[in-house]
Amino acid sequence: MERRTGSFYVLALFFGLFVLFLYGPILTIGLLSFQGPRGGLTFPMNGVSLHWFRDLFEEQAVGDIWGAFRRSFALGLMVMVTTVVVSVMAGLAFRKRFWGSGLVFYAAITSLVIPSILISLGVGLIFNQLGFRVHWATSGFGAQLTWTLPFGLLIMFAVFNRFDKSFEEAARDQGATAWQTLRYVVLPIIAPSLIGVALFGFTLSYDEFARTLLTSGSYNTLPLEVFGMTTNVTTPVIYALGTLTTVFSFVIIGAFLLGAWAMGKRRARLGSDAGQGL
Amino acid sequence: MQLKNRHILGWLEAAPLAMVLLGFLIAPIVMIVIVSFWGATEFSIYPAFEFDNYEFLFGSPVTYRVFGATFKYAFITWALTLAIGFTVAYFLAFHVRSLTMQIALFLVCTIPFWTSNIIRMISWIPFLGRNGIANQTLISWGVIDEPLEWLLYSDFAVILAFVHLYTLFMVVPIFNTMMRIDKSLLEAARDNGASGFQTLVHVIIPLTKPGIMIGTIFVVTLVMGDFITVRFMSGSQRANVGRLISNDIGLLQYPSAAATAVVLLCTVLIVIAILLRFVNIRKEL
């Protein structure tokens, strides 16, 4: 093997600093959330306690964060399932190069790059003028899909661009119907990438702020609740909340990544079932 | 018949996506364009067809200043995220040797993307505050005597947060294109006597351009459309176009917010159209 050059160590140092830059602040508030009861928003630590975490469980101290958490979680699951299903269907559609596919594609890209506040404002205005009440599960749900679906679609493009068509041709040659080819050949092959789509769907919804702002109605999602707290809470309780939801995010991300990893392992262990007459 | 089938089936499969985009993207844009011509009183808005909102918008010096500030944020953030993102991606793609390690380090860079932006902004407070870590450290080193006031709630804080939030939008596409560069091209460059730097400038950077363009589109549009980072990190002391819109919304001046939104959208689309001339997105995935 070649020897490492000097530039390797410089770049490695740069990378290390970048990672510190990414994670340093969040670790800091993780530490500060264990402030003593009389501690403030910055160092030094004024004792060590679980005081601020305990505060989170008292309604009057912080408002309805548990309700907000439940809503965000439910909404995240709804968006996740919808994103996976709709993205896969759209991914399959785009392979057919149907008439007008370019139009849908550019709409999806627009959806990704449009300033989020426009979605928020536009959806809010439509609901308002039609006399519907905005609610996180209707207008909020739709507004969030405009953010998660393009990501799902782009992942599906990446997946299908690398997809070996001969698997499908083989299935068809053996007499499989279009549905059987999809169900027993295509879907199992792309399954691990669907975990990725699901991860994007859930986490982007769970953390979404700008598109939900004017579309969630009177019941806040968690990010909206947290943002509300930034204007009137001046104690480390906000760090405790930040730490808790970040840990929750990490657990979710870990679970998804582990799932994808386990699926890959299983596939490597069992190998192909070609010729097994299944 | 076969051909027709393909189109119909394609549309059936794309229908859910098309419906969502129609209902929650196209319709809202159309609505905003319509409302931008409406009138408003202090309490309500009424249908009309007048250009007052646009006249007011283009007649006010605030508009130009705020658009200028928006471009300034976008440009500085773009330059910084590109420099950092390119370096990080370059290290990952060409200096880390095992694929497992590459994937692991790549994930380390992407995981923050799946956590909350709001909380990542909040997490700068203990670092940048008047009595924060940065000031305390600098004072203890004797670099400064008094705490710096411009660390938090300033342009500096806004741009720091943008770079913190959005650099991975550069890292991911650039890393993706770099991984697809044929390594034998680099060998060929070296065999022909190119230095590491020459290889970088004449081989790697030209081949990485599509990734750079995609990252640029992401970063520029995210920064131009932002309103919450600027509000939070500047302590409401700075403005960009997004904040102009959200302030109008807060005052229930929807027509005026809509007019600003239309102008913002046009600006963003023009910027993207220019950038898209350099890259074919669909080919790059």
Side-chain angles (χ1 to χ4, degrees):
Chain A
M1 205 169 210
E2 241 178 291
R3 278 196 46 209
R4 298 283 194 198
T5 54
S7 59
F8 170 81
Y9 295 101
V10 175
L11 287 168
L13 180 71
F14 186 87
F15 184 81
L17 289 174
F18 177 67
V19 171
L20 188 69
F21 172 65
L22 276 184
Y23 290 91
I26 196 76
L27 293 178
T28 315
I29 69 161
L31 214 57
L32 283 169
S33 57
F34 291 100
Q35 276 277 26
R38 273 143 44 78
L41 284 173
T42 51
F43 286 107
M45 295 288 281
N46 211 330
V48 176
S49 76
L50 290 174
H51 177 84
W52 304 107
F53 287 98
R54 220 173 294 129
D55 247 19
L56 279 180
F57 291 86
E58 285 167 24
E59 285 285 313
Q60 65 273 30
V62 288
D64 185 22
I65 57 159
W66 295 102
F69 172 72
R70 274 196 303 275
R71 284 188 284 276
S72 274
F73 191 73
L75 184 56
L77 290 179
M78 285 162 61
V79 171
M80 177 183 87
V81 172
T82 315
T83 304
V84 171
V85 174
V86 174
S87 304
V88 170
M89 288 179 69
L92 291 168
F94 277 104
R95 297 177 76 203
K96 301 191 170 70
R97 307 197 177 280
F98 59 98
W99 181 86
S101 60
L103 208 64
V104 182
F105 176 74
Y106 280 107
I109 295 298
T110 308
S111 187
L112 194 61
V113 298
I114 190 174
S116 296
I117 196 163
L118 264 84
I119 301 282
S120 226
L121 174 64
V123 173
L125 281 172
I126 290 181
F127 270 65
N128 220 318
Q129 291 300 313
L130 291 178
F132 299 150
R133 193 172 295 172
V134 286
H135 190 274
W136 58 269
T138 55
S139 50
F141 173 65
Q144 291 197 343
L145 284 178
T146 63
W147 178 232
T148 61
L149 283 179
F151 279 104
L153 189 64
L154 289 181
I155 298 175
M156 292 321 296
F157 271 122
V159 169
F160 282 126
N161 277 355
R162 289 165 179 74
F163 190 85
D164 187 349
K165 280 200 169 126
S166 53
F167 288 119
E168 281 168 288
E169 277 158 24
R172 248 197 320 271
D173 290 349
Q174 311 267 351
T177 62
W179 167 248
Q180 284 173 324
T181 310
L182 178 66
R183 169 70 186 77
Y184 296 107
V185 178
V186 178
L187 286 184
I189 291 175
I190 63 171
S193 339
L194 299 190
I195 294 184
V197 179
L199 171 63
F200 273 81
F202 184 84
T203 58
L204 294 188
S205 156
Y206 180 74
D207 299 320
E208 163 57 33
F209 177 83
R211 298 190 190 212
T212 331
L213 183 63
L214 299 174
T215 56
S216 72
S218 31
Y219 297 104
N220 276 346
T221 60
L222 194 59
L224 296 176
E225 196 74 23
V226 172
F227 186 73
M229 284 174 70
T230 61
T231 52
N232 54 27
V233 177
T234 50
T235 60
V237 71
I238 193 159
Y239 294 160
L241 179 56
T243 306
L244 221 53
T245 74
T246 305
V247 167
F248 176 77
S249 289
F250 282 160
V251 168
I252 294 279
I253 296 164
F256 275 107
L257 293 179
L258 207 66
W261 179 78
M263 205 180 246
K265 268 276 187 232
R266 183 169 167 271
R267 187 170 285 186
R269 186 160 43 85
L270 297 176
S272 159
D273 58 7
Q276 307 285 310
L278 285 172
Chain B
M1 193 60 209
Q2 194 60 41
L3 194 75
K4 205 176 156 200
N5 259 337
R6 177 171 66 111
H7 295 300
I8 294 174
L9 200 60
W11 267 110
L12 283 177
E13 285 171 339
L17 174 70
M19 300 284 274
V20 171
L21 293 177
L22 197 66
F24 290 93
L25 175 76
I26 311 289
I29 295 174
V30 171
M31 189 69 188
I32 287 175
V33 173
I34 294 173
V35 172
S36 72
F37 294 103
W38 286 15
T41 65
E42 259 177 69
F43 317 103
S44 67
I45 58 177
Y46 55 89
F49 187 73
E50 49 188 38
F51 288 86
D52 297 21
N53 302 311
Y54 289 102
E55 260 168 44
F56 181 77
L57 191 64
F58 287 112
S60 157
V62 175
T63 310
Y64 298 98
R65 216 169 44 235
V66 168
F67 266 89
T70 307
F71 277 112
K72 182 188 74 183
Y73 286 135
F75 181 77
I76 299 176
T77 309
W78 170 76
L80 290 172
T81 53
L82 176 59
I84 299 172
F86 186 90
T87 314
V88 167
Y90 177 78
F91 172 73
L92 285 179
F94 297 115
H95 282 271
V96 179
R97 284 169 181 169
S98 89
L99 185 65
T100 321
M101 200 61 187
Q102 277 178 328
I103 295 174
L105 293 180
F106 179 71
L107 279 175
V108 167
C109 294
T110 34
I111 281 172
F113 173 57
W114 297 313
T115 64
S116 165
N117 278 4
I118 303 271
I119 289 163
R120 289 172 72 200
M121 282 184 236
I122 292 173
S123 67
W124 279 107
I125 294 176
F127 200 81
L128 298 179
R130 199 167 185 284
N131 301 311
I133 300 170
N135 272 328
Q136 285 177 7
T137 313
L138 289 175
I139 289 175
S140 74
W141 285 352
V143 180
I144 49 173
D145 300 324
E146 301 215 322
L148 299 173
E149 298 288 349
W150 50 265
L151 287 179
L152 192 58
Y153 304 137
S154 61
D155 276 347
F156 172 78
V158 171
I159 287 171
L160 183 76
F162 276 141
V163 172
H164 186 227
L165 294 175
Y166 299 143
T167 298
L168 67 123
F169 283 94
M170 279 288 187
V171 174
V172 173
I174 295 179
F175 176 72
N176 183 37
T177 28
M178 278 181 176
M179 288 298 278
R180 283 198 266 158
I181 294 177
D182 189 346
K183 292 281 190 293
S184 57
L185 291 176
L186 306 185
E187 266 171 51
R190 204 173 42 203
D191 291 348
N192 283 302
S195 68
F197 182 73
Q198 283 173 320
T199 312
L200 177 69
V201 174
H202 297 293
V203 182
I204 296 176
I205 290 181
L207 289 173
T208 313
K209 234 177 217 159
I212 293 175
M213 281 304 151
I214 293 176
T216 302
I217 291 175
F218 266 116
V219 170
V220 169
T221 54
L222 282 167
V223 173
M224 288 189 70
D226 171 87
F227 63 102
I228 207 66
T229 312
V230 173
R231 173 165 158 199
F232 187 80
M233 297 307 288
S234 78
S236 295
Q237 294 175 42
R238 296 288 187 282
N240 67 345
V241 183
R243 280 208 64 204
L244 211 59
I245 300 173
S246 79
N247 284 350
D248 276 341
I249 292 171
L251 298 169
L252 303 181
Q253 297 298 308
Y254 294 113
S256 146
T260 315
V262 169
V263 177
L264 174 64
L265 182 62
C266 292
T267 315
V268 169
L269 290 181
I270 290 169
V271 171
I272 294 171
I274 294 170
L275 292 173
L276 275 180
R277 301 204 76 104
F278 299 100
V279 59
N280 178 352
I281 298 189
R282 262 172 99 165
K283 241 173 50 193
E284 293 307 326
L285 294 166

